[in-house]
Amino acid sequence: MTTSRSEAARLSRQAPTLVPDRDCPLCPRLVAFREANRAREPLWHNAPVPPFGDIEARLLIVGLAPGMQGANRTGRPFTGDYAGDLLYATLLEYGFARGSYQARPDDGLKLVDCRIANAVHCVPPQNKPLPAEINTCRQFLIANLETMPKLRAIIALGRIAHDSVLKPLKLKASQAPFGHGAVHQAGPFKLYDSYHCSRYNTNTGVLTPDMFRSVFAKVKADLD
């Protein structure tokens, strides 16, 4: 049985795009930054970073954006910088990952019942995406949410990730204010808030490893 050109086009339109194209043109500032990074570091990933983990997972972790020395370099979320050291150690501790995290995408680490994505898929200058860039990239976050059939829990790492998740969950900011350790119900989903696991937050004491672990302990208990 063959598929007509019109039917193929219809199916293509229906299939959600989970990650921007390698040369995504949607955010001019990020495109210029990407091209500059490619010229300076041609062996780095320097492209939109795809989600990591099984689409069948019940837990989705949403970060801010790829770090320059981390995911923008390695091509895997939270891989190669301090935030990844804390995140993956915590995932291993609570059974959401197995293997050994060695800060590189070929270390063999596997996520268990967990998937990681970012609110913005391309590294922004100074790690600060603009509101327009966050809004533009949300379509890919929405596509990930819509294609995870067993999704029950979402952890938002930081306020920007929290705010970006609210819209697809149809929650108003007044209904679900951001706060570390807060839990918000959105229909069949629970949204868990955490301060971002950045070096800045941990160095300043805004987030301690125990505070971070407490969020994952709550998610683990709820999913079990």
Side-chain angles (χ1 to χ4, degrees), residues 32-43 46:
F33 194 52
R34 177 201 307 151
E35 291 175 350
N37 291 332
R38 285 178 178 175
R40 187 176 64 254
E41 298 287 354
L43 299 182
N46 286 322

Short mmCIF file of all heavy atoms in Angstrom, two decimals, residues 32-43 46:
data_model
loop_
_atom_site.label_atom_id
_atom_site.label_comp_id
_atom_site.label_asym_id
_atom_site.label_seq_id
_atom_site.Cartn_x
_atom_site.Cartn_y
_atom_site.Cartn_z
N ALA A 32 22.46 34.04 15.58
CA ALA A 32 23.75 34.73 15.48
C ALA A 32 24.73 34.21 16.52
O ALA A 32 25.92 34.01 16.23
CB ALA A 32 23.53 36.23 15.66
N PHE A 33 24.24 33.96 17.73
CA PHE A 33 25.10 33.44 18.79
C PHE A 33 25.57 32.03 18.44
O PHE A 33 26.74 31.68 18.66
CB PHE A 33 24.32 33.45 20.11
CG PHE A 33 25.16 33.26 21.32
CD1 PHE A 33 26.28 34.05 21.55
CD2 PHE A 33 24.82 32.31 22.28
CE1 PHE A 33 27.05 33.88 22.70
CE2 PHE A 33 25.58 32.14 23.43
CZ PHE A 33 26.70 32.92 23.63
N ARG A 34 24.68 31.21 17.90
CA ARG A 34 25.03 29.85 17.49
C ARG A 34 26.12 29.87 16.42
O ARG A 34 27.09 29.10 16.50
CB ARG A 34 23.78 29.15 16.95
CG ARG A 34 24.03 27.74 16.43
CD ARG A 34 22.92 27.32 15.47
NE ARG A 34 21.61 27.48 16.07
CZ ARG A 34 20.50 27.74 15.37
NH1 ARG A 34 20.56 27.89 14.05
NH2 ARG A 34 19.35 27.86 15.98
N GLU A 35 25.96 30.73 15.43
CA GLU A 35 26.94 30.79 14.35
C GLU A 35 28.30 31.24 14.85
O GLU A 35 29.34 30.72 14.42
CB GLU A 35 26.43 31.71 13.24
CG GLU A 35 25.22 31.13 12.51
CD GLU A 35 24.62 32.09 11.50
OE1 GLU A 35 25.02 33.28 11.50
OE2 GLU A 35 23.76 31.65 10.71
N ALA A 36 28.31 32.18 15.78
CA ALA A 36 29.57 32.62 16.36
C ALA A 36 30.24 31.50 17.15
O ALA A 36 31.47 31.31 17.09
CB ALA A 36 29.34 33.84 17.24
N ASN A 37 29.43 30.75 17.88
CA ASN A 37 29.97 29.63 18.65
C ASN A 37 30.52 28.54 17.74
O ASN A 37 31.54 27.91 18.04
CB ASN A 37 28.89 29.05 19.57
CG ASN A 37 28.51 30.00 20.69
OD1 ASN A 37 29.32 30.80 21.13
ND2 ASN A 37 27.27 29.90 21.17
N ARG A 38 29.85 28.29 16.64
CA ARG A 38 30.32 27.27 15.70
C ARG A 38 31.66 27.67 15.09
O ARG A 38 32.55 26.83 14.89
CB ARG A 38 29.29 27.06 14.60
CG ARG A 38 28.06 26.27 15.03
CD ARG A 38 27.05 26.12 13.92
NE ARG A 38 25.89 25.34 14.34
CZ ARG A 38 24.82 25.13 13.58
NH1 ARG A 38 24.75 25.64 12.36
NH2 ARG A 38 23.81 24.40 14.04
N ALA A 39 31.81 28.95 14.79
CA ALA A 39 33.07 29.42 14.23
C ALA A 39 34.21 29.29 15.24
O ALA A 39 35.34 28.95 14.89
CB ALA A 39 32.93 30.87 13.77
N ARG A 40 33.90 29.54 16.51
CA ARG A 40 34.92 29.52 17.54
C ARG A 40 35.22 28.09 18.01
O ARG A 40 36.36 27.75 18.30
CB ARG A 40 34.47 30.36 18.73
CG ARG A 40 35.55 30.54 19.81
CD ARG A 40 35.09 31.45 20.93
NE ARG A 40 33.96 30.91 21.67
CZ ARG A 40 32.71 31.36 21.57
NH1 ARG A 40 32.43 32.39 20.78
NH2 ARG A 40 31.73 30.81 22.26
N GLU A 41 34.17 27.25 18.12
CA GLU A 41 34.33 25.88 18.62
C GLU A 41 33.64 24.91 17.67
O GLU A 41 32.55 24.40 17.93
CB GLU A 41 33.72 25.75 20.03
CG GLU A 41 34.37 26.62 21.09
CD GLU A 41 35.76 26.11 21.49
OE1 GLU A 41 36.15 25.02 21.03
OE2 GLU A 41 36.43 26.80 22.27
N PRO A 42 34.26 24.62 16.53
CA PRO A 42 33.59 23.80 15.51
C PRO A 42 33.33 22.36 15.93
O PRO A 42 32.51 21.67 15.29
CB PRO A 42 34.57 23.86 14.33
CG PRO A 42 35.89 24.20 14.93
CD PRO A 42 35.58 25.08 16.10
N LEU A 43 33.98 21.86 16.96
CA LEU A 43 33.77 20.47 17.39
C LEU A 43 32.68 20.34 18.44
O LEU A 43 32.32 19.21 18.82
CB LEU A 43 35.08 19.89 17.92
CG LEU A 43 36.24 19.84 16.93
CD1 LEU A 43 37.46 19.18 17.56
CD2 LEU A 43 35.84 19.09 15.66
N ASN A 46 26.76 22.89 19.50
CA ASN A 46 26.36 24.20 18.96
C ASN A 46 25.10 24.12 18.10
O ASN A 46 25.09 24.54 16.94
CB ASN A 46 27.52 24.81 18.15
CG ASN A 46 28.64 25.33 19.04
OD1 ASN A 46 28.40 25.88 20.11
ND2 ASN A 46 29.88 25.14 18.59
#
